[in-house]
Amino acid sequence: MTGNPPIRSIAMLTSGAATLANFRGPLIRAFIARGIRVYALAPDHDETTRAAMIELGAEPVDVSLDRTGMHPLRDFRDMIALIGVFRRLKPDAVFGYFIKPVTYGTIAARLAGVRRRFAMVAGLGYVFTPGAGPDTPKRRVLRTIASALYWTAFRFCHVVFVQNEDDRRFFIERGIAPAGKVELLAGSGVDFDRLSPAAPVTAPVTFLLMARLLREKGIAEFVEAARILRREHPDARFVLLGGWDPNPGGFTLDEVKAWADEGLIDWLGHQSDVRPIIAASSVFVLPSYREGKPRSTQEAMAIARPVVTTNAPGCRDTVVEGVNGYMVPVRDAPALAAAMKRFLDEPGLIEPMGRASRTLAEERFDVRRINAHMLRAMGIERN
């Protein structure tokens, strides 16, 4: 970035307004602290998200952007509208995350003349994740379109942030992203000022899965593991926290309610503050098929909870086997049940493995170190 004028304003573009404060709040504060004006662009701002942005010192801006699915005419209109927004705001830089902000947002920023363009891919998502749904002709077409959009956008980006080595290799080896533009982060990170260790919970042993209601999150395997374990441990609790998602790989509300009605799980829906729910759990479970670097797991680790997850991209970076938890194969409910059963048979594992999770989170996922890495890569701070 040598020779570039300093960044005095940045437009952060997302397809989910709630993630601006929840996932990017510390990054926004870091920008503001350096005198950078922040525009927070999202299609679904409400009173809560607007207030959160204003409190952080950012300016909420409404845009039109469809979060899921491919609707070419609507997406093209949205991209043209974004060009107008960027020309009106005149930011020095644009930073997009999630697939449409990264692709259409970056292309729009380039066409609008925004001179610095950054993107973050925090996981490959439904169309690229094996097992997330049937590999239908439509899904293969979507994968081809998404690859082409990423290819175009990444050539307009100055830096593309990814969160695990598997995703980095995926983009580079397929020629989708130039190797010199891809920057590997440790994750989104967690704010340890907000997340403190909680006392272990051993009676009843409570397993928590916190995720959107998507097949690729391993929810069906979690439910099947609960079914297996309840036969021998009827007092154990299995808690599912997460709201419905319109993604094609999502479960219906009727399916989730049926599991709850059967007594297999306690479903809490979406919750804005997950900290007390994590604190009330014993073990965090994420049987996902693929992740960037799961923020939910990082939060659970910061609150000192052991982890059971899959040996899948992104997920495997959150567990040291036998130290802070266990890893199991993807889409293997019996193996998942066996790993969870260890905590039911030996609840004394919960406290030391939880402590190990906290230590590992402090070593790997401190948001201040991760944001400092991003600021250097953006040319905002020097090494």
Side-chain angles (χ1 to χ4, degrees), residues 270-334:
H270 172 75
Q271 301 291 327
S272 57
D273 187 356
V274 300
R275 291 173 294 179
I277 298 166
I278 297 174
S281 71
S282 309
V283 179
F284 184 76
V285 183
L286 184 63
S288 179
Y289 302 172
R290 187 178 189 121
E291 295 284 333
K293 195 73 62 69
R295 168 69 178 274
S296 59
T297 310
Q298 295 172 51
E299 291 175 331
M301 292 169 68
I303 295 177
R305 291 299 175 257
V307 175
V308 176
T309 192
T310 51
N311 187 15
C315 297
R316 65 172 67 102
D317 300 323
T318 62
V319 165
V320 176
E321 182 70 19
V323 176
N324 76 310
Y326 303 104
M327 287 184 285
V328 300
V330 172
R331 298 191 295 278
D332 191 336

Side-chain angles (χ1 to χ4, degrees), residues 92-265:
D92 297 321
V94 166
F95 169 70
Y97 61 97
F98 296 139
I99 182 169
K100 291 192 179 182
V102 166
T103 55
Y104 296 117
T106 300
I107 295 168
R110 173 65 178 82
L111 294 175
V114 180
R115 69 173 187 269
R116 306 275 280 281
R117 298 167 296 276
F118 308 104
M120 177 184 285
V121 181
L124 296 185
Y126 166 75
V127 297
F128 293 107
T129 302
D135 197 23
T136 60
K138 179 181 178 180
R139 192 167 175 223
R140 290 193 290 272
V141 169
L142 289 175
R143 190 156 55 239
T144 300
I145 294 171
S147 296
L149 286 169
Y150 273 136
W151 185 92
T152 304
F154 290 165
R155 273 145 189 80
F156 292 154
C157 282
H158 293 85
V159 181
V160 178
F161 296 103
V162 298
Q163 297 189 347
N164 65 65
E165 178 61 26
D166 296 88
D167 289 357
R168 191 188 75 85
R169 284 200 305 269
F170 178 92
F171 285 128
I172 293 171
E173 290 175 0
R174 286 163 177 77
I176 298 172
K181 291 187 177 183
V182 181
E183 190 79 15
L184 179 61
L185 298 175
S188 294
V190 289
D191 184 351
F192 292 106
D193 292 336
R194 293 186 63 254
L195 297 163
S196 302
V201 174
T202 57
V205 174
T206 301
F207 298 96
L208 171 65
L209 168 55
M210 187 166 63
R212 290 175 293 150
L213 300 180
L214 300 176
R215 193 169 306 278
E216 66 204 64
K217 299 298 183 181
I219 291 171
E221 289 78 10
F222 179 72
V223 173
E224 182 58 28
R227 190 187 305 276
I228 293 168
L229 293 171
R230 279 199 180 280
R231 297 167 191 159
E232 190 177 340
H233 299 277
D235 293 334
R237 291 190 68 216
F238 303 88
V239 177
L240 175 61
L241 175 63
W244 177 78
D245 193 282
N247 192 290
F251 291 100
T252 67
L253 292 182
D254 286 342
E255 288 175 299
V256 180
K257 289 174 182 175
W259 294 328
D261 291 343
E262 192 179 344
L264 294 173
I265 60 167

Side-chain angles (χ1 to χ4, degrees), residues 26-28 30 188 366-376:
L27 181 60
I28 292 172
S188 294
D366 188 332
V367 72
R368 290 168 295 189
R369 287 200 296 270
I370 291 170
N371 286 345
H373 181 174
M374 293 183 68
L375 294 172
R376 290 193 297 271

